[in-house]
Amino acid sequence: MSKARSIPVTYLRPTYDVCVVGIETAIDIYRSIPRRAEYFDVRGTSSLEVTIVYNPRAVTRPQKGEKWPLNKDIKVVVSPLKASTELNDSKVKVSYYGGQSKEPLGCSMLYLTNVAVCLDVDIFRIGSVTRGVRGKDVWTWGRGGKGAILLVNCDRDRNISGISDREDTGPPNAADVKDMSPMVLTAEGPDEIFDDYKLTMKVSSSDAKRLRVYQKRRYEYAHVLGKQIDSYDVRRDNLDDITFYVEGLEFPDIDFSGLVYIDLTFHKGDDGSKILTEQVVFRVAPWIMTPNTQKPLEVYVCNVKTNSEFVKLLSDFVDKTRCPLNKVTQSENRGDQWIQDEMEFGYTEAPHKRFPVVLDSPRNRGLRNFPVSEVLGPDFGHVTREPDDSSTVTTLDSFGNLEVSPPVVVNGKAYPLGRILIGDGLNKSSMRMNQVLRDFLHAQQVQAPVFLFSTWLYVGHIDEFMTFVPAPNRKGFRLLLASPQACLDLFRKKQKEGHGGAVMFEGLNRVTYTIDDILASKILLDSSKICQESIDQNRKIMKKELGLSEDDIIDIPMLYKCDSDMENAESFFPNMVNMLVLGKQLGIPKPFGPKLYGTCCLEEKVRSVLEPLGLNCTFLDDFTSYHQYLGEVHCGTNVVRKPFSYKWWECIV
């Protein structure tokens, strides 16, 4: 908001100036006064509010019929109530008096042209511009917070192949404008005044790279500010209200807090003297991940030469959820079936609009072009973060290593959008997700990341030992953790019951094992001990960082096999926590465990702990299509999920 201006007046001649509606302007009545003047009186026309400001401890307010003394502690302030319809149609008259004189010694006449100038945005986050309020230069979090919001315009409404709208330099179309935040400039007053006084909008050089502003004109949306343009003298076209549309160009990141500012000045054209300065702030909406507990909207799987039977099984499973299945063709995936690793679906949201956004991983294998060529489109955005040096990309930068919890409360602090989970070497390995990805995820602020220990695994992804499923009570979900100990306990129980000869991997073209064989295998037992310790470490982290108790966690039987150095663990049988969660329907890798009376004891155990939660378990054979290539059902699928109903700007960060 502008600092208070002061207009000097003189009794020698009339003074002409401009004032802004709702803005107080001081009238300097002391600059030029008649000789022997000791008192004054001031009057204004009905279009003005004239106020005498004084310190009651230093000045006594005059009685009725008396005049104000000429005392520098007394100030005159004028505030226009409405815009002028003609030049100089508002008047202020200051009359000066001597000690005993009843007639003025002289009068100063101030002729004002009042203009209504204001830059307004959706400060209250209701989806439309709120007019004429203050405090637009401050952005606050939480319910009741204030401040406008921008979407990164990262979808493709303009239909330019290979790039999103934020990269397109052409004019927006009607669909594109709907992604943008409206901003209205009020410039009401006699048209002639705007020939001499100018309206200028400015942004900093850094913000010019992060937003773009369009002015709505009769036949077009003209790019006027941002994207390297840092100043614009507004083309008013004799309009009282001028509509602009603002788009974000960058998501928050390590070097960008997410806040961008637009400054407005109303100033005299020849000497640049400022009548009004005003600022509005926008926060660029973050990218938000969605957990397994959110409703599925669309499932993706890749068609490759080795998985046709699996895709048939998956199609039947997905049909149960009435959710569409998008089968990525071989020409699109180029033999890369690990669609979970290539991309992570999330969304972005402002009060007026939201749409899904795919985060594209830097792994860049066969599916590298798919997120841009096939996912990016109208109301479906795209964002990526890649390091300058591609040689630094590791398996930890694949998105089987990136998950998010359901909403949690931790020591009284709410995370209503959950917390991002990232696999890491912690203090046992130097391997980490790439810095550019970690910086990006931290900068979104609303899903504070938690790091888990994952480099004990050969592939190194956290989806190899954990997942979340919906549940009807407690926190509304359960954390499923792979458990070698639970598997060994189950097998020992079955061995004691006389089933030590029951065979694992029966019917598969590979070496089979009995329960007795497994329980006698030193490498499996040693591997189980090492891997259980690593999983227990993650259990401890998640209990602390997600506010979980033991009742929130379910152990799922699993065995891993390490190499000769007791490192680089691989799933010994299809890993059942690496499942596809579609509401209450769970697509679980078929473990091919020992059968007792025709029933797999591993499947039976999993059903016994999950089906009482109202979940339906379907075991899918992914052995030859995924498991033997060190992945499972979750690794080979991906899901677009319904956004949270909770509004991210209501978070306390």
Side-chain angles (χ1 to χ4, degrees):
M1 189 59 65
S2 297
K3 295 181 180 179
R5 291 175 61 231
S6 179
I7 301 174
V9 294
T10 174
Y11 73 98
L12 299 174
R13 59 188 174 274
T15 303
Y16 299 87
D17 214 313
V18 173
C19 281
V20 178
V21 173
I23 302 298
E24 292 184 344
T25 302
I27 308 300
D28 183 355
I29 65 172
Y30 300 100
R31 182 74 63 90
S32 173
I33 60 176
R35 291 179 62 190
R36 296 188 302 277
E38 298 179 29
Y39 299 93
F40 76 94
D41 187 27
V42 61
R43 296 285 186 270
T45 53
S46 60
S47 59
L48 302 171
E49 180 179 308
V50 180
T51 306
I52 305 294
V53 180
Y54 66 100
N55 182 352
R57 290 177 293 183
V59 177
T60 302
R61 184 181 181 89
Q63 299 296 315
K64 186 176 182 180
E66 295 180 349
K67 311 301 182 186
W68 287 93
L70 283 167
N71 183 321
K72 291 293 183 68
D73 289 329
I74 300 173
K75 302 183 185 302
V76 177
V77 175
V78 62
S79 179
L81 300 174
K82 61 180 180 180
S84 296
T85 56
E86 297 178 357
L87 292 175
N88 308 317
D89 64 358
S90 295
K91 304 177 186 65
V92 178
K93 181 179 180 180
V94 182
S95 302
Y96 298 93
Y97 297 87
Q100 300 297 324
S101 67
K102 294 184 178 180
E103 295 299 321
L105 300 175
C107 297
S108 296
M109 290 298 302
L110 173 61
Y111 293 88
L112 292 174
T113 303
N114 303 329
V115 295
V117 173
C118 191
L119 191 60
D120 289 315
V121 292
D122 180 14
I123 186 174
F124 294 117
R125 306 165 188 168
I126 58 176
S128 59
V129 172
T130 301
R131 308 293 291 273
V133 297
R134 298 188 179 185
K136 295 167 288 191
D137 58 341
V138 176
W139 205 98
T140 54
W141 292 90
R143 293 189 176 183
K146 297 178 183 179
I149 294 168
L150 284 185
L151 291 176
V152 176
N153 195 8
C154 59
D155 66 340
R156 187 169 63 200
D157 292 312
R158 305 183 210 180
N159 202 30
I160 305 297
S161 178
I163 61 173
S164 66
D165 293 337
R166 71 184 184 88
E167 302 164 296
D168 183 9
T169 58
N173 57 30
D176 194 25
V177 168
K178 291 180 180 179
D179 298 338
M180 303 181 193
S181 296
M183 179 173 70
V184 177
L185 172 57
T186 300
E188 184 180 355
D191 292 337
E192 302 93 323
I193 203 70
F194 294 99
D195 293 335
D196 297 324
Y197 290 83
K198 305 298 182 184
L199 293 158
T200 302
M201 294 195 302
K202 292 185 177 182
V203 294
S204 68
S205 58
S206 58
D207 284 353
K209 298 181 295 185
R210 292 164 175 158
L211 60 78
R212 187 160 43 192
V213 181
Y214 296 90
Q215 182 177 343
K216 183 180 181 181
R217 295 179 181 161
R218 188 172 181 182
Y219 298 112
E220 65 174 347
Y221 296 94
H223 173 209
V224 297
L225 193 65
K227 196 66 174 177
Q228 310 309 324
I229 302 173
D230 58 14
S231 181
Y232 169 57
D233 289 332
V234 177
R235 179 174 154 183
R236 181 171 171 270
D237 296 332
N238 296 334
L239 296 174
D240 290 342
D241 288 336
I242 307 162
T243 302
F244 298 89
Y245 293 92
V246 190
E247 64 180 349
L249 301 178
E250 294 182 8
F251 281 98
D253 213 324
I254 184 67
D255 58 350
F256 175 36
S257 70
L259 295 177
V260 291
Y261 298 86
I262 299 176
D263 295 309
L264 172 70
T265 59
F266 178 56
H267 57 97
K268 198 165 186 177
D270 54 0
D271 62 9
S273 58
K274 295 179 181 178
I275 310 301
L276 170 80
T277 60
E278 184 166 79
Q279 186 179 69
V280 298
V281 59
F282 291 89
R283 180 175 288 279
V284 176
W287 179 78
I288 302 170
M289 285 183 68
T290 48
N292 283 351
T293 49
Q294 292 298 109
K295 179 181 178 180
L297 301 177
E298 185 176 10
V299 181
Y300 283 76
V301 68
C302 290
N303 277 321
V304 294
K305 295 179 180 179
T306 57
N307 75 343
S308 58
E309 290 302 316
F310 172 80
V311 172
K312 291 178 183 178
L313 292 173
L314 182 68
S315 297
D316 292 340
F317 168 68
V318 173
D319 281 346
K320 298 177 184 179
T321 67
R322 298 183 179 179
C323 191
L325 177 62
N326 189 320
K327 300 175 185 177
V328 182
T329 65
Q330 294 187 47
S331 62
E332 294 167 341
N333 64 53
R334 298 189 298 174
D336 183 0
Q337 64 193 36
W338 308 111
I339 196 165
Q340 181 65 224
D341 287 340
E342 179 58 37
M343 58 192 187
E344 188 69 51
F345 289 115
Y347 69 97
T348 191
E349 181 176 19
H352 67 282
K353 183 73 178 285
R354 74 180 178 195
F355 53 78
V357 178
V358 60
L359 176 62
D360 191 353
S361 111
R363 70 189 278 272
N364 292 338
R365 291 170 60 179
L367 281 160
R368 63 181 302 170
N369 296 324
F370 180 76
V372 170
S373 64
E374 303 301 327
V375 179
L376 172 64
D379 286 342
F380 211 124
H382 171 272
V383 62
T384 189
R385 287 293 183 272
E386 298 200 14
D388 293 333
D389 182 0
S390 61
S391 68
T392 65
V393 175
T394 71
T395 182
L396 298 192
D397 300 316
S398 296
F399 289 161
N401 195 40
L402 177 65
E403 299 296 328
V404 64
S405 78
V408 292
V409 178
V410 185
N411 295 325
K413 178 174 175 52
Y415 297 89
L417 304 176
R419 299 191 70 176
I420 285 172
L421 304 171
I422 301 170
D424 193 86
L426 297 185
N427 60 347
K428 299 184 179 182
S429 165
S430 61
M431 284 189 68
R432 304 204 74 183
M433 178 178 280
N434 216 287
Q435 186 73 48
V436 293
L437 281 172
R438 287 185 283 123
D439 289 343
F440 173 79
L441 295 169
H442 274 288
Q444 307 315 303
Q445 297 192 68
V446 295
Q447 295 178 303
V450 174
F451 291 95
L452 303 177
F453 178 41
S454 67
T455 54
W456 56 278
L457 291 154
Y458 178 78
V459 175
H461 296 175
I462 59 175
D463 67 352
E464 296 179 77
F465 64 82
M466 58 151 295
T467 194
F468 296 96
V469 295
N473 52 12
R474 295 185 60 78
K475 294 180 174 63
F477 68 88
R478 295 290 189 277
L479 167 63
L480 307 188
L481 282 180
S483 175
Q485 188 60 54
C487 188
L488 293 177
D489 288 347
L490 175 65
F491 284 175
R492 286 175 180 133
K493 178 182 177 183
K494 298 306 178 184
Q495 186 184 54
K496 287 182 180 179
E497 293 172 353
H499 302 293
V503 176
M504 174 161 256
F505 305 134
E506 187 176 8
L508 294 173
N509 185 22
R510 64 156 295 163
V511 175
T512 60
Y513 295 80
T514 65
I515 290 177
D516 289 338
D517 292 335
I518 291 170
L519 294 178
S521 170
K522 184 177 188 308
I523 189 168
L524 283 177
L525 294 178
D526 289 345
S527 296
S528 294
K529 182 177 184 298
I530 294 293
C531 294
Q532 187 66 59
E533 289 174 355
S534 297
I535 294 170
D536 287 345
Q537 180 180 353
N538 289 310
R539 186 189 205 98
K540 184 177 180 180
I541 292 171
M542 285 188 279
K543 286 174 70 173
K544 177 183 177 182
E545 299 295 339
L546 302 181
L548 305 182
S549 70
E550 279 299 319
D551 290 338
D552 299 316
I553 302 172
I554 295 175
D555 291 315
I556 300 298
M558 185 59 216
L559 291 180
Y560 300 92
K561 185 176 181 180
C562 297
D563 61 19
S564 57
D565 295 324
M566 286 293 110
E567 297 176 342
N568 299 317
E570 300 175 12
S571 297
F572 179 63
F573 56 82
N575 191 331
M576 293 183 287
V577 296
N578 194 280
M579 64 178 67
L580 175 61
V581 181
L582 302 179
K584 294 182 178 180
Q585 301 292 335
L586 308 182
I588 305 172
K590 185 175 180 64
F592 291 94
K595 287 186 178 180
L596 310 180
Y597 311 110
T599 300
C600 170
C601 65
L602 292 172
E603 291 184 20
E604 182 179 49
K605 176 63 177 179
V606 169
R607 290 185 190 277
S608 73
V609 294
L610 296 183
E611 290 185 345
L613 299 175
L615 301 171
N616 300 311
C617 301
T618 300
F619 292 90
L620 305 174
D621 179 1
D622 74 345
F623 199 97
T624 58
S625 52
Y626 293 94
H627 173 71
Q628 70 178 7
Y629 301 111
L630 306 183
E632 310 289 357
V633 173
H634 184 259
C635 305
T637 57
N638 216 318
V639 185
V640 181
R641 297 185 183 274
K642 184 177 180 180
F644 288 101
S645 59
Y646 189 94
K647 306 303 181 186
W648 63 264
W649 51 86
E650 295 182 354
C651 291
I652 302 297
V653 300

